[in-house]
Amino acid sequence: MNKILIALAIVLFIFTSSAIFAEEVTVVDESSDSTAVALPMPATNVSAQNAVYDAGGILNITWVKSPDDPANILGYKLYRSRANTDFEHVSDLIPGQTSYADEELENDILYQYKVAAYNSAGEVFSEASQPAAAAWEFFNFNQLNIFIMAIVVCGAVIGFIMSVKSGRKLFIRKIGGLEAIEEAVGRATEMGRPILFIAGIQDMDDVQTLAGITILGRVARVVADYDSKIRMPVSRSLVMTSARETIKEAYTSAGRPDGYSDDMVQYITDEQFGYVAAVNGIMVREKPATCLYLGAFFAESLILAETGNSIGAIQIAGTARPAQLPFFVAACDYTLIGEELFAASAYLSGDPKQLGSLKGQDIGKIVAMCGILLGTMAITLANAWDLESMQWLLDVLDAIFATN
């Protein structure tokens, strides 16, 4: 009996040991499988193309990603060969990326590229791309429509300038604010009060200030003819110098150079509200009969216009800043709205370049308005009645006015 028990114990021990040993082997095998990482499949169809319509120096590289992307790769590495030299590492790229713009290259030099897909086991190179060279393109044919429109508008501007120089008078509709200038100056003369002129608070590098100074020449000429007085506080030293020269020239051309004085133009301060406070003080003390605000204005527009309104002055304002126009419209007698300020400047100056530019720009606006009207009509009819002809018109308009 004891022998039988001993034999069973030996058999049980051998069986148990075998199971443990087999389990240990299995564990070892599983660990070995988890660390074995295969090399990824390579990227294919690597291509290098010159980036078109630029100054050169750029090649666009594209490829087809590895079949193992993203399961078995950590990313890509781009290599470049310059004129058949060895390939050099250019950049590390993320999984899923299939393009790259290689910049700062030399024009007209042949480059080749390889893309290496890599993981922890190593990297696998693609075939090299065909040689390609970056080049400079003079003309962007994708924006030919913009070029044609620019030719049309510039041609119109040049044509009108030549027309004015030849002596032809261009039609410019009457602007109410301009027509009222002589009346306002005459009223100030009768009342024995000065005329206040404000050319905005910007410097001479602002086109609205330039327009205001141009109109000042016309106003000063009328003031000189009526032997009235003009008062012009400014917030910029360059504006002061330009305004003095403009008024002096107006008095000289009116035959009254002795009537001019530098005191007509006074520099106050560059600080916005310090300047406005000083101008308001002048308005309250001297009570000008006419106030003209022509230039670039900001928050001070309503303060000035309200003060001028409170003293009963005739007020003429003009600015191209849309946010300030409502204040001038509400508080002034006449307002030059937006481009009317520049139109008035061109009209009063009589300069062929300004007049020609004014009329030439109108051609561009007419073209744009026609495009808007036709586009609105076409898309309305196309959606309402599903007309194919309207869809064709929309495609034509899109080709004409597309900007990219």
Side-chain angles (χ1 to χ4, degrees), residues 149-161 164 170 352-367:
M149 292 183 68
I151 290 294
V152 170
V153 175
C154 291
V157 169
I158 294 172
F160 281 116
I161 291 175
V164 175
L170 301 179
K353 293 178 182 176
Q354 291 193 41
L355 290 172
S357 300
L358 183 67
K359 297 295 288 186
Q361 290 173 31
D362 287 345
I363 300 298
K365 294 173 187 173
I366 291 172
V367 172

Side-chain angles (χ1 to χ4, degrees), residues 282-332:
I282 293 172
M283 295 168 75
V284 172
R285 288 192 302 273
E286 301 184 12
K287 291 185 171 46
T290 301
C291 295
L292 296 103
Y293 316 105
L294 299 164
F297 293 88
F298 295 88
E300 70 282 355
S301 60
L302 183 59
I303 300 173
L304 295 173
E306 276 297 312
T307 304
N309 187 277
S310 68
I311 62 174
I314 290 181
Q315 298 196 99
I316 301 173
T319 184
R321 299 191 65 81
Q324 308 306 322
L325 283 172
F327 305 131
F328 283 142
V329 170
C332 296

Side-chain angles (χ1 to χ4, degrees), residues 321-376:
R321 299 191 65 81
Q324 308 306 322
L325 283 172
F327 305 131
F328 283 142
V329 170
C332 296
D333 299 283
Y334 301 94
T335 303
L336 307 182
I337 298 175
E339 292 189 349
E340 285 186 338
L341 176 65
F342 307 118
S345 171
Y347 174 73
L348 292 177
S349 69
D351 181 17
K353 293 178 182 176
Q354 291 193 41
L355 290 172
S357 300
L358 183 67
K359 297 295 288 186
Q361 290 173 31
D362 287 345
I363 300 298
K365 294 173 187 173
I366 291 172
V367 172
M369 289 176 63
C370 291
I372 292 171
L373 291 174
L374 288 175
T376 304

Side-chain angles (χ1 to χ4, degrees), residues 203-247:
D203 215 330
M204 291 303 296
D205 58 349
D206 191 296
V207 67
Q208 296 181 72
T209 306
L210 294 175
I213 293 296
T214 302
I215 297 173
L216 171 65
R218 168 66 175 171
V219 173
R221 175 60 187 266
V222 177
V223 169
D225 289 337
Y226 279 77
D227 194 19
S228 188
K229 296 179 182 177
I230 188 169
R231 191 86 156 80
M232 185 176 179
V234 299
S235 63
R236 307 286 175 174
S237 57
L238 288 179
V239 175
M240 177 187 70
T241 304
S242 301
R244 284 177 173 174
E245 290 299 321
T246 301
I247 296 175

